[in-house]
Amino acid sequence: MSNYHIKHLEEYYQVYRKSVRNPEVFWEEIAEEHFLWRKKWDKVLSWDFAKPEIKWFEGAKLNITENCIDRHIYTRGDKTAIIFEPNNPEEATQHISYRELHDRVCRFANVLKDQGVKKGDRVCIYVPMIPELTVAILACARIGAIHSVVFAGFSSKALSTRINDSDCKLVITADGSYRGAKTIDLKGIVDEALESCPGVKTVLVAKRINSAIEMKPNRDYWLQPLLDDAYHDCDPEIMDAEDPLFILYTSGSTGKPKGMVHTIAGYMVYTAYTFKNAFQYREHDVFWCTADIGWITGHSYIVYGPLANGATSVMFEGVPSYPDFGRFWDIVQKHKVNQFYTAPTAIRALAKQGAELVEKYDLSSLKVLGSVGEPINEEAWHWYNDVVGKNKSPIIDTWWQTETGGMMITPIPFVTPTKPTFATLPFIGVQPALMDETGNELKGNQVEGRLCIKFPWPGIARTIWGNHQRYKDTYFSTFENMYFTGDGALRDEVGYYRITGRVDDVIIVSGHNLGTAPIEDAINEHPAVAESAIVGFPHEVKGSALYGYITLKEVGESRMHDNLRKEINQLISDRIGPIAKLDKIQFTSALPKTRSGKIMRRILRKIAERDTSNLGDISTLLNPEVVQEIQERAL
Ligand code: WTA
């Protein structure tokens, strides 16, 4: 276990240098010591960012569920793997032991096999935050099926696009979900989605809210009776290291979502190693990541990373505001949570409610606080540090992406001195580079540029499902021989990194990545709309919110505008999901354009941000006069 837990800053630098000087030797040692392999690899790493092609632990054979479940049964069979905390605090918490998890995963795996699911098949999982979600994921991994989890807050259109993109034949869902005081008709959303998914033959439905839903004969089956009848053991499918484990969709700057493909061995090694070190997880700790498993944060740090370490991981079904804004702290107290991992948007929302709601609870169990998903602003950082952490639990501001599989830049608690709004130092094995716009690397400290990574790490996504060219274009074509993250960053005088935000057309709203193009596509479907452009603007709680500039085909009376605004947001909600709704909609006679017809988003962004002191040279625009109009009527 020598280099598995970093203990002090000197050791960090030592291990870091080793990991960078000889990454193969470094990761091979980690892989050898801490995991269960049916066969060891022939080659640790082969890579070529120009193709791009990346392979870790090639030739190795394994099953990730043996690593996440089976091997713990001998030493930690009765230990709780998952604590399920329901939406309603009156409902009983569930403690699922490693032994029970094994039983449930095996049964589910057998159900999938009975339904004809085979190794390599894609299974869509559209399930709320209930234990069946984790079990379904692991059941797929057990039999070598590729899971594609779709966040159960996405609309039917978003769901069907994702189902069709990866040809899923089977969908797992629930009769509905709880969200605070509301219920959501998930099955209805699935039914609507499947009207345009002819490839789906089977739907398995978990019962959660006991609503009267329609079951389509010969397609829809209640899950529980099948599980009850299934055999409780299931031999794991022996997989190749580079076989796909899952697909997870993320927004791009253009068009349809990108199905990022993660492969088994590298992802396992990376999530397990980062989990253990970045949270300094110890055997009897209780870890809680508040993300939804529908996002990468939940995949890596509710399911795979914690379970690969034999940890106890909390899974919370509800929302931070139900029954009141003290719920998170109630849960921390109830389960004596030691590591707590959440998003800046949640921190800001809770900070708005005042400190009393936090102080009511005993938070003395907390050792480490984490943040992820977007830059954390200074005020939120201090509130988190002072009010929640009482100045004794270090905050790890972890920067990473769906594409990176696990954390990339983060302090190591009790090791790296923290600094508000800084993700600080690269994680072990991660080689960041800052590039200027002409493609030169900015060496030394006190520089700002585009954030790239120079060398592969085990957790990097290997391709975009069905579109390797797009993978290459998006991540490996902007800078030669570099993985380009899409983020900007600065490196301060001591080498600490601060992420400054996206440099492309992705906007992060409440921690969710939203591409502007799909939202504009949705708006443009409205019969009255001629054209639209979306930009982000700073928002107190959401971090960024969306501002839409819309031109109409016919200039209507302004009293019609409020109705139009409602209709447009409804359309966005239907096509993408409520998270993509616009906070502000300004109708304008035209959009500012370059002579080649490109919308000048930079100007629109400045107006939305109310930063119009320096709009730059607008005289070269095709229609400079419209800028004045937009400015005068800005919301
Ligand atoms: C942003 C989430 C600043 C960033 C794990 C990145 C952050 C995108 C941070 C990926 C952070 C994530 N500080 N920005 N600590 N963490 N981001 O794919 O822009 O949902 O590219 O993965 O979120 O979001 P994704």
Side-chain angles (χ1 to χ4, degrees), residues 612-628:
T612 49
S613 53
N614 178 18
L615 284 183
D617 183 11
I618 58 170
S619 64
T620 57
L621 291 182
L622 192 66
N623 49 356
E625 68 289 346
V626 74
V627 175
Q628 173 116 23

Side-chain angles (χ1 to χ4, degrees), residues 395-593:
I395 295 179
I396 56 166
D397 177 0
T398 65
W399 173 83
W400 57 292
Q401 310 178 293
T402 303
E403 295 85 339
T404 69
M407 300 171 198
M408 297 292 281
I409 303 183
T410 176
I412 293 178
F414 309 105
V415 170
T416 319
T418 57
K419 179 173 173 183
T421 76
F422 281 75
T424 75
L425 297 170
F427 190 75
I428 317 293
V430 174
Q431 303 189 33
L434 296 180
M435 309 295 291
D436 72 14
E437 282 179 39
T438 60
N440 295 313
E441 184 175 351
L442 299 159
K443 303 266 176 152
N445 288 340
Q446 290 190 297
V447 287
E448 180 167 356
R450 303 189 165 208
L451 180 61
C452 292
I453 315 289
K454 283 196 234 188
F455 195 89
W457 62 99
I460 185 175
R462 305 296 198 259
T463 189
I464 290 175
W465 185 263
N467 200 343
H468 197 67
Q469 186 62 39
R470 189 171 178 202
Y471 176 67
K472 179 175 175 168
D473 294 345
T474 312
Y475 305 106
F476 298 92
S477 302
T478 316
F479 302 103
E480 205 181 328
N481 258 322
M482 297 266 177
Y483 165 81
F484 174 46
T485 64
D487 283 317
L490 62 83
R491 192 161 52 223
D492 77 357
E493 63 286 355
V494 297
Y496 273 17
Y497 288 85
R498 176 188 185 159
I499 311 304
T500 49
R502 301 292 307 184
V503 294
D504 56 11
D505 286 333
V506 171
I507 303 171
I508 304 193
V509 177
S510 298
H512 303 312
N513 294 7
L514 299 173
T516 52
I519 303 176
E520 288 163 7
D521 289 347
I523 298 170
N524 298 349
E525 277 180 41
H526 193 286
V529 170
E531 215 179 11
S532 61
I534 305 297
V535 299
F537 71 99
H539 184 282
E540 214 190 338
V541 172
K542 301 179 183 179
S544 296
L546 300 177
Y547 192 125
Y549 297 92
I550 297 178
T551 64
L552 298 174
K553 289 182 181 150
E554 283 166 39
V555 188
E557 291 171 51
S558 55
R559 65 186 167 84
M560 298 302 292
H561 285 176
D562 276 344
N563 272 341
L564 269 177
R565 286 191 175 93
K566 278 198 199 115
E567 287 170 17
I568 286 167
N569 265 333
Q570 189 54 47
L571 203 54
I572 295 173
S573 211
D574 293 344
R575 293 292 179 272
I576 299 160
I579 48 176
K581 281 193 201 170
L582 309 181
D583 268 43
K584 294 183 180 178
I585 296 179
Q586 181 177 356
F587 295 104
T588 160
S589 64
L591 297 171
K593 289 194 181 159

Side-chain angles (χ1 to χ4, degrees), residues 594-608:
T594 63
R595 283 172 199 272
S596 59
K598 240 182 119 191
I599 299 171
M600 284 297 281
R601 287 169 199 278
R602 186 178 51 78
I603 291 175
L604 295 174
R605 204 173 295 130
K606 288 210 157 202
I607 296 174

